[in-house]
PDB file of all heavy atoms in Angstrom:
ATOM      1  N   ASP A 452     -74.956  77.442 -49.019  1.00  0.00           N
ATOM      2  CA  ASP A 452     -76.209  77.580 -49.705  1.00  0.00           C
ATOM      3  C   ASP A 452     -76.177  78.776 -50.636  1.00  0.00           C
ATOM      4  O   ASP A 452     -76.948  78.825 -51.592  1.00  0.00           O
ATOM      5  CB  ASP A 452     -77.342  77.661 -48.774  1.00  0.00           C
ATOM      6  CG  ASP A 452     -77.628  76.384 -48.073  1.00  0.00           C
ATOM      7  OD1 ASP A 452     -77.163  75.312 -48.560  1.00  0.00           O
ATOM      8  OD2 ASP A 452     -78.234  76.393 -46.964  1.00  0.00           O
ATOM      9  N   ASP A 453     -75.348  79.818 -50.374  1.00  0.00           N
ATOM     10  CA  ASP A 453     -75.364  81.004 -51.119  1.00  0.00           C
ATOM     11  C   ASP A 453     -74.030  81.145 -51.824  1.00  0.00           C
ATOM     12  O   ASP A 453     -73.005  80.571 -51.432  1.00  0.00           O
ATOM     13  CB  ASP A 453     -75.552  82.232 -50.270  1.00  0.00           C
ATOM     14  CG  ASP A 453     -76.895  82.283 -49.556  1.00  0.00           C
ATOM     15  OD1 ASP A 453     -77.851  81.844 -50.187  1.00  0.00           O
ATOM     16  OD2 ASP A 453     -76.940  82.625 -48.317  1.00  0.00           O
ATOM     17  N   VAL A 454     -74.060  81.853 -52.956  1.00  0.00           N
ATOM     18  CA  VAL A 454     -72.832  82.216 -53.707  1.00  0.00           C
ATOM     19  C   VAL A 454     -72.584  83.684 -53.347  1.00  0.00           C
ATOM     20  O   VAL A 454     -73.515  84.517 -53.446  1.00  0.00           O
ATOM     21  CB  VAL A 454     -73.046  82.036 -55.250  1.00  0.00           C
ATOM     22  CG1 VAL A 454     -71.733  82.378 -55.935  1.00  0.00           C
ATOM     23  CG2 VAL A 454     -73.450  80.618 -55.502  1.00  0.00           C
ATOM     24  N   TYR A 455     -71.360  84.051 -53.021  1.00  0.00           N
ATOM     25  CA  TYR A 455     -71.039  85.389 -52.646  1.00  0.00           C
ATOM     26  C   TYR A 455     -69.683  85.787 -53.084  1.00  0.00           C
ATOM     27  O   TYR A 455     -68.828  84.980 -53.422  1.00  0.00           O
ATOM     28  CB  TYR A 455     -71.189  85.530 -51.118  1.00  0.00           C
ATOM     29  CG  TYR A 455     -70.270  84.692 -50.268  1.00  0.00           C
ATOM     30  CD1 TYR A 455     -69.079  85.240 -49.857  1.00  0.00           C
ATOM     31  CD2 TYR A 455     -70.568  83.384 -49.981  1.00  0.00           C
ATOM     32  CE1 TYR A 455     -68.196  84.475 -49.109  1.00  0.00           C
ATOM     33  CE2 TYR A 455     -69.684  82.634 -49.226  1.00  0.00           C
ATOM     34  CZ  TYR A 455     -68.497  83.204 -48.772  1.00  0.00           C
ATOM     35  OH  TYR A 455     -67.624  82.461 -48.084  1.00  0.00           O
ATOM     36  N   GLY A 456     -69.457  87.134 -53.155  1.00  0.00           N
ATOM     37  CA  GLY A 456     -68.208  87.633 -53.639  1.00  0.00           C
ATOM     38  C   GLY A 456     -67.936  88.958 -53.061  1.00  0.00           C
ATOM     39  O   GLY A 456     -68.763  89.528 -52.303  1.00  0.00           O
ATOM     40  N   THR A 457     -66.820  89.572 -53.453  1.00  0.00           N
ATOM     41  CA  THR A 457     -66.482  90.872 -52.928  1.00  0.00           C
ATOM     42  C   THR A 457     -66.627  91.986 -53.913  1.00  0.00           C
ATOM     43  O   THR A 457     -66.273  93.110 -53.646  1.00  0.00           O
ATOM     44  CB  THR A 457     -64.997  90.863 -52.476  1.00  0.00           C
ATOM     45  OG1 THR A 457     -64.134  90.513 -53.512  1.00  0.00           O
ATOM     46  CG2 THR A 457     -64.799  89.916 -51.286  1.00  0.00           C
ATOM     47  N   GLY A 458     -67.123  91.681 -55.106  1.00  0.00           N
ATOM     48  CA  GLY A 458     -67.331  92.709 -56.132  1.00  0.00           C
ATOM     49  C   GLY A 458     -68.427  93.669 -55.700  1.00  0.00           C
ATOM     50  O   GLY A 458     -69.545  93.286 -55.360  1.00  0.00           O
ATOM     51  N   LEU A 459     -68.153  94.965 -55.734  1.00  0.00           N
ATOM     52  CA  LEU A 459     -69.103  96.000 -55.296  1.00  0.00           C
ATOM     53  C   LEU A 459     -69.675  95.741 -53.944  1.00  0.00           C
ATOM     54  O   LEU A 459     -70.874  95.841 -53.699  1.00  0.00           O
ATOM     55  CB  LEU A 459     -70.229  96.090 -56.309  1.00  0.00           C
ATOM     56  CG  LEU A 459     -69.817  96.612 -57.744  1.00  0.00           C
ATOM     57  CD1 LEU A 459     -71.025  96.710 -58.648  1.00  0.00           C
ATOM     58  CD2 LEU A 459     -69.231  97.987 -57.660  1.00  0.00           C
ATOM     59  N   GLY A 460     -68.845  95.267 -53.010  1.00  0.00           N
ATOM     60  CA  GLY A 460     -69.301  94.826 -51.726  1.00  0.00           C
ATOM     61  C   GLY A 460     -69.655  93.389 -51.737  1.00  0.00           C
ATOM     62  O   GLY A 460     -69.281  92.624 -52.650  1.00  0.00           O
ATOM     63  N   ARG A 461     -70.255  92.891 -50.706  1.00  0.00           N
ATOM     64  CA  ARG A 461     -70.648  91.479 -50.532  1.00  0.00           C
ATOM     65  C   ARG A 461     -71.934  91.218 -51.324  1.00  0.00           C
ATOM     66  O   ARG A 461     -72.959  91.577 -50.920  1.00  0.00           O
ATOM     67  CB  ARG A 461     -70.784  91.149 -49.122  1.00  0.00           C
ATOM     68  CG  ARG A 461     -71.084  89.685 -48.802  1.00  0.00           C
ATOM     69  CD  ARG A 461     -71.322  89.491 -47.315  1.00  0.00           C
ATOM     70  NE  ARG A 461     -71.825  88.125 -47.064  1.00  0.00           N
ATOM     71  CZ  ARG A 461     -71.000  87.161 -46.563  1.00  0.00           C
ATOM     72  NH1 ARG A 461     -69.767  87.404 -46.384  1.00  0.00           N
ATOM     73  NH2 ARG A 461     -71.607  85.995 -46.304  1.00  0.00           N
ATOM     74  N   ALA A 462     -71.791  90.427 -52.434  1.00  0.00           N
ATOM     75  CA  ALA A 462     -72.939  90.167 -53.266  1.00  0.00           C
ATOM     76  C   ALA A 462     -73.446  88.739 -52.926  1.00  0.00           C
ATOM     77  O   ALA A 462     -72.629  87.849 -52.923  1.00  0.00           O
ATOM     78  CB  ALA A 462     -72.639  90.205 -54.718  1.00  0.00           C
ATOM     79  N   VAL A 463     -74.692  88.581 -52.604  1.00  0.00           N
ATOM     80  CA  VAL A 463     -75.216  87.307 -52.129  1.00  0.00           C
ATOM     81  C   VAL A 463     -76.334  86.911 -53.188  1.00  0.00           C
ATOM     82  O   VAL A 463     -77.159  87.688 -53.577  1.00  0.00           O
ATOM     83  CB  VAL A 463     -75.863  87.398 -50.732  1.00  0.00           C
ATOM     84  CG1 VAL A 463     -76.416  86.055 -50.310  1.00  0.00           C
ATOM     85  CG2 VAL A 463     -74.751  87.859 -49.764  1.00  0.00           C
TER      86      VAL A 463
END
Side-chain angles (χ1 to χ4, degrees):
D452 291 339
D453 298 321
V454 182
Y455 61 96
T457 58
L459 293 179
R461 181 184 172 99
V463 181

